Amino acid sequence: MPTLSRRFSTLSTPIDLFLQWKPQRETQQLLWPPLSPSQLQKQQKLLQSKLILALDGCTSVKHVKQVHAHLLCQGLDQCCFVLSKLIRMLTKFCVPMETYPRLIFHQVRCPNPFLWNAMIRGFILQGTLSESVSLYNCMRRDGTRPLSFTFSVFFKACSATLDVDLGTQMHAQTILVGGYGSDLYVGNTMIDMYTKCGLLESGRKVFDEMPDKDVISWTELIVAYSKSGDMESARDLFVELPVKDKVSWTAMVTGYAQNARPREALEVFKRMQTEEVETDVVTLIGVISACAQLGASNYAKWVRDVAERSGFGPHENVVVGSALVDMYSKCGSIDEAFKVFKQMKERNVFSYSSMIVGLAIHGRCHEAIQLFHDMLESEIKPNHVTFIGVLTACSHVGLVEQGQQLFAAMKTHYDVDPSVEHYTCMVDLLGRVGRLEEALEVIKTMPVEPNACVWGALLGACRTHRNPDIAQLAANNLFELEPNTIGNYILLCNIYASAGMWDEVSEVRKLMREKGLKKSPGYSWIEGKKGEIHEFFAGDMRHPMSIEIKQALEDLVNRLKAHGYVPHLNSVTYDLHDEEKRRLLLNHSEKLALAYGLLSTDVDYTIKIMKNLRICEDCHAFMCGASKITGREIIVRDNMRFHHFHNGTCSCGNFW
DNA sequence: ATAGGGTTAG
């Protein structure tokens, strides 16, 4: 009489059930009357599915071996159906294909396509593509027709290893063997292979020749175009795509975001909302990144609400949470970013890095360094980005020694190899405090090839510390690496102009003219009360309130002058009359934006200005003064960092 | 068996 506990003990996983079997031949017991052939076949089938179930439940190689022993005992050593599953399990547990799986395979006289496939797949997964290829050739000599997913597995491997030669050969094979022309899996993995290997046109050709395409084929190509920067082709395909799903929509949102077109990304996302397409984590990450680029608070709030409503708030999802931290910090709301960070239930290296970098670019460097130390205690290992953040923080507050110590510890304690970026931080660290020769020495002795960023950091430091000689050296290297980046020439012009070296200024100007480089127009934007964006270009009079803005600026500059503000005429690199320089300076777009902000918002409202270029010295001093005499909080995000102006001082410490 | 994903810097 079975007790209750005995009965419950039978409620176990398939592998446990299996292990209770007695190893005896279940199918050939002497029975009377004997089983008919169809009954026998049924019994065989049952046994096979039992074995498959047992294999599915295996959690170790040992289990698989037990099932194998049982299988042999039942006389199923030729049963390809079960054996291919068995080999798949061995692959899953990383048993080297050369050993046990190969042995099993060799004992089979007539392997079926599934068994071949299991072997080929196993070798591919273990990184021995060449062995897979020779197995494939054996299979072909054997007269066996490959399965469509044998090809898929190959294409996937070629896409991962960027082995376009093998991919092309396999493509030829599909044509040679024939009959795969309408197979979606083969076609789609082939498109993926070609596009990942950078042969967009070949991918497109496969796509065009496919008689049936599904949404996956379309999406693969859309992604390929957007990765190549061709959003126009991506959009054209998307428009033609008959049935769009959330993945193809997301591909468009992310595509625009990754191509620095945040407004279009937001447009697509809005349309997704009106068409009631489901929003998931991946969609959110794309649109959050777009918001971060735009830096618009109202959009930020809206996107965050959508995230919360979809059930992926910072509390639920680390990735969304980390993206929101980055977004808020780039929108100028560093306190909100910190709030989100604290709300997060789970934090990873991305969350910490985003927060540390955020604090650093907002000039809250001691907090950034503190957070870095908190992170070390939380057992989350810092990565290369974390170090960029904390080194940036050190350099912003002039903590040279601490920065140098951290830099040294990177490799020895945290196993992070210093990259060019980290050396850039070191050049910046030394350059900011005026140790320009030492910074130059770092560049000369660094083990990695210095890139434009490194020389740019040095050139930037030369501007602050007015050193035209080293500037010349840095600029020459920079011009070689980035002959067409206008900002470098302008920076050098500024440095020469500050030193009154007008001949050199005109030399550089001549160089720019010869190269046909045009100054990209500086512009600033500010968010209105209702979330609308107001854009200002230098000297722009197109804004409906231009007259008032101009007047407000005149008033402001007069009040500032009374408080000792002197226009930094050196910020103008044209050799003009001082009066003309004064006029030009007052036209700078961030000043126009500031005047609009002062006119249109209440006293307790923080004015947030975004700018596409680096803020000039004059505007910086102007903002400092304005924050003092108006008592307003002003934040300017230029292309480098945030400047928080409060009561006459800036968070960057006049150092940027 | 096949498609979309986050942080960095002068």
Side-chain angles (χ1 to χ4, degrees):
Chain A
M1 174 117 170
T3 65
L4 201 63
S5 67
R6 284 269 315 255
R7 285 175 63 190
F8 269 93
S9 75
T10 60
L11 291 173
S12 43
T13 60
I15 184 68
D16 293 328
L17 270 176
F18 165 76
L19 293 174
Q20 288 163 15
W21 292 355
K22 295 275 178 309
Q24 52 179 260
R25 307 195 69 150
E26 295 181 17
T27 52
Q28 292 196 4
Q29 282 165 2
L30 285 173
L31 289 170
W32 192 260
L35 294 173
S36 69
S38 72
Q39 278 175 318
L40 244 170
Q41 208 183 4
K42 214 166 151 190
Q43 204 175 22
Q44 278 274 355
K45 276 246 166 83
L46 198 73
L47 176 59
Q48 287 181 16
S49 52
K50 259 189 195 170
L51 287 165
I52 295 281
L53 208 66
L55 282 167
D56 262 327
C58 285
T59 52
S60 71
V61 183
K62 199 178 133 208
H63 285 157
V64 182
K65 282 191 176 170
Q66 282 170 325
V67 179
H68 189 208
H70 193 78
L71 178 151
L72 293 174
C73 198
Q74 300 298 326
L76 290 174
D77 61 321
Q78 298 295 316
C79 178
C80 294
F81 173 51
V82 180
L83 286 175
S84 58
K85 175 77 194 176
L86 199 140
I87 289 175
R88 280 180 73 100
M89 290 309 285
L90 290 174
T91 311
K92 186 177 159 192
F93 295 129
C94 303
V95 177
M97 292 305 289
E98 274 312 335
T99 59
Y100 191 18
R102 174 83 90 181
L103 216 66
I104 296 173
F105 181 70
H106 276 318
Q107 283 160 2
V108 178
R109 283 181 298 277
C110 307
N112 75 356
F114 289 88
L115 194 59
W116 282 106
N117 183 66
M119 289 302 289
I120 291 173
R121 179 179 169 276
F123 276 109
I124 288 177
L125 291 181
Q126 292 180 2
T128 33
L129 252 171
S130 55
E131 198 50 48
S132 309
V133 175
S134 33
L135 265 173
Y136 173 86
N137 290 331
C138 287
M139 172 175 74
R140 295 281 293 124
R141 275 199 296 277
D142 220 37
T144 306
R145 185 185 160 80
L147 296 169
S148 66
F149 44 80
T150 304
F151 285 122
S152 296
V153 169
F154 267 115
F155 290 133
K156 208 174 150 188
C158 295
S159 140
T161 57
L162 301 180
D163 189 343
V164 71
D165 290 338
L166 181 58
T168 314
Q169 280 175 38
M170 281 297 156
H171 182 178
Q173 282 291 315
T174 63
I175 297 166
L176 199 72
V177 180
Y180 296 97
S182 56
D183 193 300
L184 275 173
Y185 294 122
V186 174
N188 286 347
T189 45
M190 207 142 67
I191 294 177
D192 180 67
M193 181 272 297
Y194 278 126
T195 56
K196 292 269 160 65
C197 293
L199 294 183
L200 219 161
E201 285 315 309
S202 305
R204 177 73 198 232
K205 198 156 166 280
V206 174
F207 175 85
D208 286 338
E209 285 168 1
M210 277 165 76
D212 308 304
K213 310 178 231 289
D214 62 2
V215 66
I216 295 180
S217 337
W218 289 82
T219 309
E220 281 181 324
L221 216 52
I222 288 172
V223 170
Y225 278 119
S226 62
K227 289 254 154 81
S228 80
D230 183 359
M231 281 315 288
E232 277 56 51
S233 301
R235 195 205 44 224
D236 289 348
L237 271 176
F238 184 70
V239 170
E240 281 175 51
L241 174 54
V243 184
K244 305 166 172 59
D245 67 358
K246 86 177 166 190
V247 179
S248 44
W249 278 96
T250 302
M252 288 304 290
V253 173
T254 307
Y256 279 123
Q258 288 176 344
N259 282 292
R261 289 160 69 163
R263 301 185 86 139
E264 283 148 297
L266 280 158
E267 279 309 312
V268 177
F269 184 67
K270 270 193 220 159
R271 269 181 52 210
M272 249 179 113
Q273 297 287 105
T274 51
E275 303 205 6
E276 294 180 352
V277 184
E278 193 200 339
T279 296
D280 70 5
V281 176
V282 186
T283 326
L284 284 170
I285 286 162
V287 75
I288 291 172
S289 148
C291 261
Q293 291 174 41
L294 198 62
S297 312
N298 284 288
Y299 276 112
K301 191 177 173 329
W302 173 65
V303 169
R304 196 227 173 119
D305 285 344
V306 176
E308 304 260 9
R309 270 206 307 278
S310 324
F312 303 108
H315 193 67
E316 288 88 20
N317 190 291
V318 225
V319 186
V320 172
S322 310
L324 286 174
V325 166
D326 175 58
M327 177 188 78
Y328 276 124
S329 104
K330 291 211 176 115
C331 289
S333 317
I334 188 66
D335 292 319
E336 195 58 38
F338 218 158
K339 249 198 230 159
V340 170
F341 180 77
K342 284 185 195 143
Q343 265 175 27
M344 291 168 66
K345 204 158 55 183
E346 186 196 339
R347 296 181 197 111
N348 61 15
V349 62
F350 284 90
S351 336
Y352 272 98
S353 304
S354 300
M355 197 63 234
I356 290 171
V357 168
L359 288 167
I361 60 173
H362 279 276
R364 303 210 346 207
C365 302
H366 292 291
E367 284 167 86
I369 295 165
Q370 181 56 48
L371 190 62
F372 176 73
H373 287 114
D374 292 349
M375 177 180 176
L376 296 181
E377 295 194 351
S378 74
E379 288 184 7
I380 296 170
K381 281 176 66 183
N383 68 7
H384 58 289
V385 180
T386 325
F387 276 104
I388 288 172
V390 72
L391 289 174
T392 309
C394 286
S395 81
H396 282 212
V397 277
L399 289 173
V400 180
E401 274 66 39
Q402 190 169 358
Q404 285 173 325
Q405 278 165 17
L406 277 166
F407 183 77
M410 255 175 77
K411 179 90 184 99
T412 53
H413 285 69
Y414 305 103
D415 199 32
V416 179
D417 272 320
S419 63
V420 197
E421 288 79 13
H422 299 106
Y423 280 99
T424 306
C425 290
M426 294 314 284
V427 169
D428 192 54
L429 186 71
L430 292 163
R432 264 164 200 272
V433 293
R435 288 156 70 169
L436 296 171
E437 277 84 8
E438 284 170 79
L440 183 59
E441 201 51 34
V442 169
I443 300 182
K444 283 184 178 160
T445 56
M446 58 195 255
V448 277
E449 190 67 27
N451 64 4
C453 297
V454 181
W455 290 111
L458 186 61
L459 187 63
C462 291
R463 184 196 62 83
T464 338
H465 293 285
R466 308 192 190 285
N467 187 325
D469 294 335
I470 297 185
Q472 168 106 62
L473 181 71
N476 283 342
N477 282 287
L478 210 44
F479 294 160
E480 232 168 75
L481 293 162
E482 285 183 343
N484 296 318
T485 303
I486 182 96
N488 300 333
Y489 297 88
I490 293 174
L491 204 50
L492 188 61
C493 273
N494 282 329
I495 295 167
Y496 284 143
S498 294
M501 298 160 70
W502 294 106
D503 291 342
E504 283 79 359
V505 171
S506 51
E507 275 300 308
V508 181
R509 290 211 166 275
K510 200 175 132 215
L511 208 62
M512 285 162 71
R513 264 200 311 280
E514 282 166 7
K515 291 191 175 292
L517 297 177
K518 288 222 168 59
K519 194 173 170 180
S520 59
Y523 63 93
S524 302
W525 68 98
I526 185 167
E527 230 182 329
K529 270 187 187 157
K530 295 188 187 107
E532 75 284 8
I533 309 270
H534 298 258
E535 243 176 18
F536 297 93
F537 286 79
D540 196 352
M541 291 295 283
R542 281 172 297 177
H543 195 276
M545 284 174 65
S546 283
I547 311 259
E548 291 104 305
I549 290 171
K550 210 80 203 159
Q551 189 54 52
L553 258 185
E554 291 289 346
D555 294 347
L556 188 58
V557 81
N558 288 332
R559 283 171 65 197
L560 280 173
K561 276 178 184 162
H563 280 79
Y565 158 77
V566 183
H568 288 55
L569 300 181
N570 285 337
S571 290
V572 179
T573 62
Y574 297 92
D575 197 6
L576 301 166
H577 292 302
D578 286 359
E579 202 39 55
E580 189 61 11
K581 283 187 180 177
R582 269 188 208 101
R583 199 186 60 76
L584 279 179
L585 283 178
L586 213 53
N587 273 339
H588 280 184
S589 63
E590 53 269 56
K591 292 199 185 85
L592 298 177
L594 171 68
Y596 175 75
L598 288 171
L599 282 173
S600 63
T601 58
D602 300 329
V603 219
D604 56 345
Y605 187 90
T606 301
I607 296 175
K608 254 186 276 184
I609 300 167
M610 313 280 166
K611 179 170 167 64
N612 68 332
L613 304 174
R614 200 197 289 225
I615 188 168
C616 82
E617 237 173 318
D618 180 66
C619 283
H620 197 269
F622 193 91
M623 298 282 165
C624 277
S627 74
K628 189 172 174 75
I629 61 169
T630 63
R632 302 282 300 252
E633 295 288 325
I634 304 167
I635 299 178
V636 177
R637 182 184 89 167
D638 68 7
N639 61 348
M640 309 302 297
R641 63 178 53 76
F642 280 92
H643 302 266
H644 288 249
F645 299 97
H646 167 76
N647 195 25
T649 58
C650 178
S651 60
C652 77
N654 294 340
F655 214 111
W656 70 95

